[in-house]
Amino acid sequence: METFKCIMKQSMRSRKKSIKQIEQLFMKIDYEAVGRIQWDGFCTYLQLVYSEQAGARARQQEASFQRPALLQGLSYRAPVLRILAAPDDTLIMIREDGAIYFWSLQLKLKRRKWVFDKPIIRKSRWVMDVTIMPQYNKLILATGNCEIQYELSNLEPYCQIGGLEAVPLKLNYCQGIYFCKGKNLLFTGGMDRIIRVWNPYLPGKPTGMLRSHTAPVIYIHVSAEDNKIFSMPTDNTIKIWDLETNSCLFTASSKASGIRGEPGACLYLPGPRALYVAADIPALLHLRLSSPHEPHPVVSHKEPVVCCRYNPTFRQVISCSEASVVKVWDFETGRLLSEFTGAHGTAGITCLTFDSSGRRLVTGGRDSCLKIWSYNSGHCLHTLRHDGEQGEVCDGTYLEVNQNKCIIAVGWERRIDVYFDTPCDFHHFRKPQPHWQDDLNHGHTEDILCVAHCPPSLLATSSYSGEIIIWNVISGHVYCKLNSPSPSDGTENGEGPDRSVSCLAFLKTRAANLESASVSLMANGRQGSVTFWRLFSEARPIANFAPSRDKARVSSMVVTAGDACAYVADQRGFVHVYDIEEYGLQGQELQPPTNVTFWRAHVSMVTSLELIEEEVLLSSSLDRTMCLWSRDGAFIGSFGQSSPWDIFTPASWSHPRVPHEVLTDPQSMPAHPVLEGGVPATCRGEEQNKVAEGKASAEPEKTSDPRSLGDCVLEVKEDSCGGDGFGNDRLPLEQSKPPRGMPVLGTPSIYQSLWCHQAPCPSALPEKPDLSILGADLFNLDFLTQEKEGSEAVQKEY
């Protein structure tokens, strides 16, 4: 690394690159963490990075036409030679037989006229080409009779030049040539089906060549405003090119676009961003660019985000979506650094983790395989897959045991797959090790949904049936089995609520002591419950409670490094924070832990939670967003927002604002008796207190509000979101009223509360105000009073 740093510093003297950036570049190339890199590896990395960056830019610059085209019912009897744009936003189309049509930008016919008078003898006259001189308000037409006519805008003859030696075919310029003044580039197209880009000052050879057409090119137009090139060959196709990269962005055939007949002329106008095509009938195609990031709503992915993780080595956040897209974000600013698509083909990604060095990414997918990536370059290094029955990979983790590095994956196969990670193995495809004997004999009988590791030797897995198995990862033996508590309503054998356990979290400081009788494991359960388990000294549940009053299922959880706080998220998008520092140390707990705070982070199910450096909370959701929060719920920002944040500068955070979709979602309405309709808005404060007390008595688990009793708080209410859980069926706030009678969750954050103070009721009506002073200056009332008293005193003296 030292040699690499010296070479890079010498070759980059003019650029301000820190030593840390050079070290990170070395680690990205040395993904195997062997401590050295070679020249071919360095070149390969740069090639992959630049290729991925070019692909990302192309995806951001996607363009297409809104189809089908807008057609005008008027049919032409003769081919259209040219479409011109007049200064007054009028389109001029000229036919070969001399008919000129004037259209609006919306293809509304204004007027039409014939250029040629009716001949005395039966002899047809034809227009060969036409151009416009807008600065002189004239049209110039070349006819087949070896003459050039100048026509005014009113189409009255102005001048005629005859006696030419040959028939003029083109005027001013050829249709296959275009000069872009803004970019100082010349574009030509011809019979060889190639569009060439020329620098007028270096005419020796073209600076670029656009190859994609299958027929001779007859029309080229460059829109410097949109940074696009439009071309049309003789095979009736229209292509859009990127002016910077010379890459083809979109191809539209006349049949797919709804254009009738063979296009004879085209014109693109940057103002309305529309392409006008003259075929058998006029057609209009509006350009549809990749939509820029709108301020609201902000999305991190185009599809639901299934998982995300923080990489402390490069201080980056990695996220994966249902569409098998992997994105790399800068943690300190929230900017998108890179992305690559099709990680698992058309199959979605289900989980991700990092190796021990943080330089490689491991993803699992619905295609029953895992893949190891050099994710900074988007290069797949290895594919891990077994030969048995194919099934979805639900979860995975990377661990080191006795200096052996391995990847553990679980899923629908109902077995624990162990893949050894050996740096010297250059085979692209790898197979798992033989299954543990206890796994075959006493393992899970249902699909395994989750796996969690607690160093040095504990491994926990949970299944769809609600069974949790604690393993000794060194020997492969079962340490103990845990079964979810039976439901209170008596439903058994899978009938009724979902019994699956999909979230596990070790309390690692307690689990390290094998003789401890305190709580060592957290798991979610049926009916939105969270169960605290004791693993040693007679394994059994110590506590069980539901964070959500409507029993929304817990979807993710994370514990701080010192096991002081637990963050629990549910499928409604709420995040609850509990103080568990002293919880479960003395045995059975009958009450839930203290709820420190809660807030609504997303409008759909939270798919992952992670604490970053014990100060920042990272969350992702099926609503296609990823957010950063402070430990107490202050909103930092959403990945993908237009304005970056500085993680070290709280003034740059979005706090006290909340995500726009959360603010406008109907289920984020505050819970209060007046808003719920249980109390008339005009009732007295005593009646409101009675109703509130009646509701409180019906909720025995409600925590008392530490604030003053004279005030009440409007708290954020949880409710079912309905739909498919992807947040695509959200209704406007005014169109959906939340159901009544929903209980209030614990104490919310201060910026998510509305304080209501009881106004005193006056015993008597106030006196009628004196309206005689209306019209006077209120600031001069004292002066008027003094002047009146002074005049009365003078009168008394007289």
Side-chain angles (χ1 to χ4, degrees):
M1 179 182 288
E2 297 300 327
T3 304
F4 179 78
K5 289 192 292 186
C6 293
I7 296 175
M8 293 299 294
K9 285 192 296 184
Q10 292 177 0
S11 60
M12 303 177 67
R13 290 179 179 177
S14 60
R15 301 181 183 180
K16 296 181 180 180
K17 296 292 183 181
S18 64
I19 299 297
K20 184 177 180 180
Q21 290 176 312
I22 298 177
E23 291 177 350
Q24 287 186 350
L25 176 61
F26 181 89
M27 290 188 292
K28 290 177 181 178
I29 302 173
D30 181 27
Y31 53 81
E32 295 285 356
V34 296
R36 64 181 182 276
I37 59 176
Q38 297 180 351
W39 175 252
D40 57 349
F42 177 77
C43 295
T44 301
Y45 172 81
L46 294 182
Q47 180 183 5
L48 291 172
V49 169
Y50 291 145
S51 176
E52 179 55 37
Q53 290 178 354
R57 284 195 300 267
R59 287 189 292 270
Q60 294 176 357
Q61 297 168 354
E62 290 178 354
S64 62
F65 288 115
Q66 297 180 9
R67 295 176 289 178
L70 175 63
L71 303 178
Q72 174 54 245
L74 181 63
S75 178
Y76 293 119
R77 292 179 296 177
V80 175
L81 293 174
R82 189 76 65 87
I83 306 177
L84 302 173
D88 59 348
D89 292 337
T90 299
L91 297 177
I92 305 174
M93 297 185 184
I94 300 93
R95 291 191 335 205
E96 284 185 352
D97 56 0
I100 301 182
Y101 295 83
F102 294 84
W103 303 86
S104 68
L105 295 181
Q106 294 76 30
L107 285 186
K108 301 294 183 181
L109 183 62
K110 294 182 176 181
R111 61 189 177 113
R112 60 182 172 180
K113 185 170 181 173
W114 292 88
V115 175
F116 305 125
D117 297 330
K118 293 183 179 180
I120 300 176
I121 59 177
R122 190 173 184 83
K123 181 180 179 182
S124 60
R125 302 173 66 184
W126 299 97
V127 177
M128 305 303 296
D129 196 14
V130 64
T131 187
I132 190 171
M133 300 175 65
Q135 63 271 29
Y136 301 108
N137 200 24
K138 292 182 176 62
L139 284 175
I140 306 176
L141 288 86
T143 66
N145 294 336
C146 302
E147 62 183 5
I148 298 178
Q149 296 185 359
Y150 289 76
E151 301 285 345
L152 289 172
S153 58
N154 58 5
L155 298 184
E156 294 298 329
Y158 173 75
C159 179
Q160 181 174 339
I161 301 176
L164 299 178
E165 296 180 358
V167 176
L169 298 179
K170 298 297 178 184
L171 296 178
N172 189 23
Y173 60 91
C174 177
Q175 285 181 312
I177 300 177
Y178 188 92
F179 179 70
C180 179
K181 296 181 180 179
K183 301 290 184 179
N184 198 24
L185 295 174
L186 182 68
F187 297 83
T188 62
M191 299 298 295
D192 59 356
R193 301 163 294 178
I194 300 175
I195 299 175
R196 290 176 171 84
V197 185
W198 303 84
N199 186 337
Y201 300 102
L202 299 173
K205 63 178 181 179
T207 59
M209 302 178 71
L210 284 63
R211 305 173 184 266
S212 182
H213 283 295
T214 58
V217 179
I218 60 174
Y219 176 81
I220 299 175
H221 182 86
V222 178
S223 175
E225 296 83 355
D226 298 321
N227 214 30
K228 299 291 184 295
I229 306 170
F230 301 88
S231 61
M232 186 181 72
T234 58
D235 61 355
N236 305 334
T237 60
I238 303 171
K239 289 184 179 291
I240 306 176
W241 309 78
D242 183 72
L243 186 57
E244 295 292 339
T245 62
N246 294 338
S247 59
C248 184
L249 303 178
F250 182 74
T251 301
S253 64
S254 59
K255 183 177 180 180
S257 301
I259 300 175
R260 301 177 186 177
E262 297 183 1
C266 295
L267 176 67
Y268 178 80
L269 295 181
R273 285 185 173 178
L275 182 69
Y276 298 88
V277 182
D280 290 349
I281 59 177
L284 170 61
L285 287 168
H286 285 284
L287 183 65
R288 178 168 53 195
L289 301 174
S290 57
S291 57
H293 292 291
E294 298 293 337
H296 302 298
V298 176
V299 294
S300 307
H301 282 262
K302 295 181 180 179
E303 303 81 17
V305 184
V306 293
C307 49
C308 64
R309 291 289 300 272
Y310 171 70
N311 187 321
T313 303
F314 303 111
R315 296 185 66 81
Q316 296 171 346
V317 173
I318 317 299
S319 61
C320 303
S321 72
E322 279 280 1
S324 203
V325 176
V326 179
K327 290 189 176 184
V328 183
W329 308 84
D330 182 19
F331 162 69
E332 296 182 358
T333 62
R335 293 186 182 274
L336 179 63
L337 300 178
S338 64
E339 64 175 301
F340 54 93
T341 60
H344 286 256
T346 58
I349 299 177
T350 56
C351 60
L352 66 88
T353 186
F354 297 102
D355 67 351
S356 55
S357 66
R359 305 184 189 185
R360 294 179 297 163
L361 175 71
V362 182
T363 60
R366 302 188 190 278
D367 55 354
S368 72
C369 68
L370 293 97
K371 293 188 177 182
I372 303 177
W373 303 84
S374 173
Y375 70 90
N376 286 288
S377 62
H379 177 52
C380 181
L381 306 174
H382 304 284
T383 299
L384 315 180
R385 190 169 188 173
H386 55 78
D387 296 330
E389 182 181 355
Q390 306 300 319
E392 176 179 318
V393 176
C394 295
D395 199 4
T397 186
Y398 191 99
L399 51 88
E400 291 188 31
V401 179
N402 294 335
Q403 298 182 350
N404 294 322
K405 301 177 181 180
C406 62
I407 302 169
I408 292 183
V410 297
W412 289 4
E413 190 194 4
R414 304 178 183 180
R415 292 291 174 261
I416 300 175
D417 291 328
V418 181
Y419 299 88
F420 283 128
D421 183 24
T422 54
C424 298
D425 187 358
F426 297 101
H427 295 88
H428 182 78
F429 292 95
R430 297 180 181 177
K431 296 182 180 180
Q433 299 298 310
H435 293 121
W436 297 333
Q437 196 62 37
D438 272 15
D439 189 16
L440 297 174
N441 299 332
H442 309 289
H444 291 282
T445 58
E446 291 289 346
D447 300 341
I448 305 177
L449 304 180
C450 182
V451 60
H453 176 234
C454 179
S457 60
L458 290 183
L459 187 75
T461 56
S462 60
S463 70
Y464 187 78
S465 63
E467 182 182 47
I468 302 173
I469 301 181
I470 309 300
W471 305 83
N472 186 323
V473 73
I474 299 177
S475 62
H477 294 315
V478 174
Y479 184 83
C480 64
K481 287 188 176 184
L482 311 173
N483 291 311
S484 300
S486 300
S488 58
D489 54 3
T491 56
E492 298 289 347
N493 300 324
E495 300 178 359
D498 183 10
R499 303 178 61 185
S500 62
V501 175
S502 58
C503 298
L504 297 172
F506 275 105
L507 279 63
K508 296 182 179 180
T509 58
R510 306 182 189 183
N513 184 6
L514 300 181
E515 298 180 357
S516 173
S518 60
V519 169
S520 302
L521 180 70
M522 289 177 58
N524 70 334
R526 67 188 77 198
Q527 297 182 352
S529 63
V530 174
T531 304
F532 285 79
W533 293 91
R534 184 172 69 187
L535 302 181
F536 317 111
S537 302
E538 187 184 358
R540 61 186 180 90
I542 297 298
N544 184 272
F545 68 96
S548 174
R549 294 289 180 169
D550 61 350
K551 298 182 179 180
R553 183 169 182 79
V554 172
S555 58
S556 185
M557 57 179 63
V558 66
V559 182
T560 57
D563 298 334
C565 291
Y567 292 77
V568 179
D570 59 32
Q571 64 181 6
R572 304 290 183 253
F574 285 86
V575 176
H576 306 262
V577 185
Y578 292 96
D579 182 5
I580 61 170
E581 186 172 9
E582 303 293 333
Y583 193 72
L585 294 178
Q586 307 299 327
Q588 194 74 23
E589 295 282 357
L590 301 179
Q591 297 295 329
T594 303
N595 183 223
V596 179
T597 185
F598 76 93
W599 68 92
R600 195 175 192 193
H602 300 275
V603 296
S604 188
M605 185 179 77
V606 178
T607 55
S608 64
L609 286 179
E610 183 177 3
L611 274 173
I612 301 176
E613 300 173 357
E614 298 298 313
E615 295 295 334
V616 177
L617 181 69
L618 170 66
S619 66
S620 65
S621 171
L622 293 182
D623 62 6
R624 304 178 296 168
T625 64
M626 299 162 44
C627 300
L628 280 184
W629 312 83
S630 67
R631 289 189 58 174
D632 57 355
F635 180 48
I636 297 176
S638 298
F639 288 92
Q641 67 184 33
S642 57
S643 57
W645 63 74
D646 183 357
I647 198 66
F648 305 107
T649 307
S652 67
W653 298 357
S654 298
H655 179 77
R657 297 188 301 271
V658 296
H660 183 264
E661 61 273 12
V662 174
L663 182 64
T664 58
D665 189 79
Q667 311 307 329
S668 299
M669 287 284 292
H672 189 267
V674 174
L675 297 179
E676 292 178 0
V679 181
T682 57
C683 71
R684 296 178 179 270
E686 294 82 357
E687 297 177 3
Q688 293 186 10
N689 292 337
K690 291 180 180 179
V691 175
E693 290 174 0
K695 289 193 174 186
S697 62
E699 302 170 358
E701 297 180 0
K702 181 175 180 180
T703 55
S704 60
D705 193 349
R707 300 181 177 93
S708 60
L709 298 178
D711 303 331
C712 61
V713 184
L714 300 188
E715 299 178 349
V716 178
K717 179 197 293 186
E718 298 184 31
D719 196 4
S720 60
C721 295
D724 56 2
F726 284 75
N728 296 326
D729 55 344
R730 301 196 296 270
L731 298 176
L733 185 61
E734 63 274 12
Q735 295 180 3
S736 177
K737 184 178 180 180
R740 302 180 180 181
M742 293 302 297
V744 179
L745 299 175
T747 303
S749 301
I750 185 64
Y751 60 91
Q752 293 170 318
S753 305
L754 293 177
W755 287 87
C756 298
H757 300 273
Q758 181 179 348
C761 297
S763 57
L765 294 176
E767 297 181 358
K768 185 177 180 180
D770 185 7
L771 302 180
S772 61
I773 63 173
L774 290 179
D777 189 353
L778 298 180
F779 292 97
N780 293 329
L781 289 180
D782 294 340
F783 171 78
L784 294 175
T785 302
Q786 295 176 3
E787 184 180 9
K788 182 178 180 181
E789 293 177 353
S791 61
E792 291 178 354
V794 172
Q795 292 177 1
K796 289 181 179 180
E797 292 178 358
Y798 287 98

